[in-house]
Amino acid sequence: MHAWPASEVPALPGKGRDLRIHDTATGGRITLDPGPVARIYVCGITPYDATHMGHAATYNAFDLVQRVWLDTKRQVHYVQNVTDVDDPLLERAVRDGEDWTELAERETALFREDMTALRMLPPQHYIGAVEAIPGIVPLVERLRDAGAAYELDGDVYFSVESDPHFGEVSGLDAEAMRLLSAERGGDPERPGKKNPLDPMLWMAAREGEPSWDGGTLGPGRPGWHIECVAIALDHLGMGFDVQGGGSDLAFPHHEMGASHAQVLTGEHPFARAYVHAGMVGLNGEKMSKSKGNLVFVSALRREDVDPAAIRLALLSHHYRSDWEWTDQVREALADDLDAPAALAAVDRWAAAQTSGGGTDESAPGLVSRTVDALLGVAL
Ligand code: 5CA
Ligand code: ZN
């Protein structure tokens, strides 16, 4: 799959400092010491809806990681996936009477446009789950042949007990894992599993759903975690520097992925740091496609919000904190007359207009009208 065009990163005089960053597995800040080529894998979108501000915030965090590395005069090897076949994508396509491949292609194209507008650095390898299937099948076969995976009514499950390091990424107890597994794509209630947490590696073909040749596994489609493992091992290898995503991926996705890879290779760790961005919410809930409380990057762009202003809004929050998207100036003022926060929002807005090269002719007028209308200052 092709990625999107790179915006230029100016070289600065001197050399930046090595990145210290919070690692979920150790629970503390670690200094990363990548080689001359820093290696990063960031989990990509499931393309059944447009890019929202939560996605953008997460990709912004890992864009910053790369910019710090580039400033240390290293090269960066960046890999990202697209989960272009999975339950929620297929369900949305059925709901809307649309071909699932067309839905995935359209939303992936829009994501590329959003990333380009926001000047996010593109990955060198942008890989879809579907194109990764020929590499996934032999990995699942190997896990099964090593006794780390088992069959249940034609589906193949990974046995979490096969990895002595299982649990080290998220550090959660069994009960918390069970709850999150049920919430985030797992099936802890399915009878016949060795451990309720065991995740699916290969799903046998279902009536009316797409399926692919699975060799000795039979026709089917891949589970979610093994998708990212196959792509990361293929393009980065074990022990890469950072695995990134939103905090909702720490468990089960990154926990299971690490275990798959560690059992497959006999090496540890899968990634040297597991880095997670906070969740962006709207109206008191996590912004998510399933809840539908979304602010789309493309919708803001259509409303002529300068992409530089969107990016500044993302930058005004620390990447690890959860935050709420708000219509900033209005919301700040409505929140117990928080005029300082409203002024800060105006500052960011104005700065974005200046640095954005004045492409949006109407925006300065809008800033002054807003300041006049809400704060009583005529500029
Ligand atoms: N395709 C999988 C990863 S392999 C997936 O999680 N796709 S996604 O479209 O649901 O999310 C894409 C990325 O955005 C993930 O890193 C996810 O953690 C992050 N993300 C999703 N919702 C939010 C949110 N509300 N705030 C911040 N980040 C979010
Ligand atoms: Zn992933």
Side-chain angles (χ1 to χ4, degrees), residues 140-141 143-144 148-159 190 198-204 216-218 223:
V140 178
E141 289 175 324
L143 286 168
R144 181 201 54 196
Y150 59 94
E151 203 186 302
L152 183 60
D153 299 330
D155 300 327
V156 182
Y157 279 90
F158 176 74
S159 179
R190 181 169 176 176
D198 291 346
M200 209 185 268
L201 288 165
W202 186 255
M203 182 193 264
T216 62
L217 307 170

Side-chain angles (χ1 to χ4, degrees), residues 88-371:
L89 175 77
L90 297 175
E91 282 159 19
R92 177 63 61 93
V94 168
R95 190 198 77 177
D96 295 350
E98 187 175 13
D99 179 271
W100 65 274
T101 56
E102 276 170 28
L103 172 62
E105 271 169 35
R106 191 182 64 240
E107 297 302 351
T108 305
L110 187 58
F111 176 73
R112 288 190 190 96
E113 277 177 32
D114 290 336
M115 292 296 105
T116 309
L118 294 175
R119 303 179 88 244
M120 302 285 179
L121 295 169
Q124 280 80 41
H125 298 279
Y126 191 45
I127 313 285
V130 170
E131 61 184 326
I133 290 174
I136 293 172
V137 170
L139 297 188
V140 178
E141 289 175 324
R142 263 168 56 196
L143 286 168
R144 181 201 54 196
D145 296 347
Y150 59 94
E151 203 186 302
L152 183 60
D153 299 330
D155 300 327
V156 182
Y157 279 90
F158 176 74
S159 179
V160 294
E161 268 133 45
S162 62
D163 177 26
H165 294 286
F166 176 72
E168 287 182 4
V169 173
S170 62
L172 297 171
D173 62 33
E175 187 48 28
M177 286 185 183
R178 261 178 81 99
L179 289 171
L180 287 177
S181 159
E183 239 177 67
R184 298 175 179 169
D187 56 2
E189 306 299 334
R190 181 169 176 176
K193 289 170 66 173
K194 288 189 181 165
N195 182 315
L197 298 174
D198 291 346
M200 209 185 268
L201 288 165
W202 186 255
M203 182 193 264
R206 305 286 201 263
E207 186 69 39
E209 287 189 2
S211 62
W212 289 263
D213 177 13
T216 62
L217 307 170
R221 61 181 163 97
W224 173 29
H225 319 304
I226 193 70
E227 164 196 340
C228 286
V229 170
I231 296 170
L233 289 181
D234 191 17
H235 295 282
L236 296 173
M238 279 304 271
F240 58 92
D241 297 288
V242 166
Q243 165 139 46
S247 58
D248 57 340
L249 298 189
F251 192 89
H253 189 50
H254 291 169
E255 187 76 65
M256 298 300 180
S259 281
H260 292 355
Q262 284 152 192
V263 172
L264 273 165
T265 61
E267 291 171 34
H268 175 270
F270 178 45
R272 293 206 252 171
Y274 298 90
V275 179
H276 294 110
M279 288 292 111
V280 180
L282 183 70
N283 306 331
E285 285 204 276
K286 173 191 155 187
M287 205 180 273
S288 79
K289 286 174 274 207
S290 52
K291 294 204 184 85
N293 57 340
L294 305 170
V295 174
F296 294 122
V297 173
S298 45
L300 293 173
R301 290 199 289 118
R302 265 199 310 276
E303 287 161 20
D304 276 339
V305 176
D306 191 318
I310 303 176
R311 182 121 190 186
L312 280 173
L314 299 172
L315 288 165
S316 67
H317 302 274
H318 189 268
Y319 84 95
R320 255 185 320 123
S321 60
D322 296 335
W323 54 278
E324 282 268 311
W325 173 261
T326 51
D327 198 350
Q328 312 231 333
V329 180
R330 276 192 183 125
E331 293 291 334
L333 207 57
D335 183 13
D336 201 18
L337 304 180
D338 194 347
L343 269 182
V346 172
D347 268 355
R348 288 195 297 270
W349 196 357
Q353 291 309 319
T354 323
S355 69
T359 44
D360 182 357
E361 302 275 293
S362 69
L366 193 54
V367 174
S368 62
R369 277 203 304 282
T370 303
V371 173

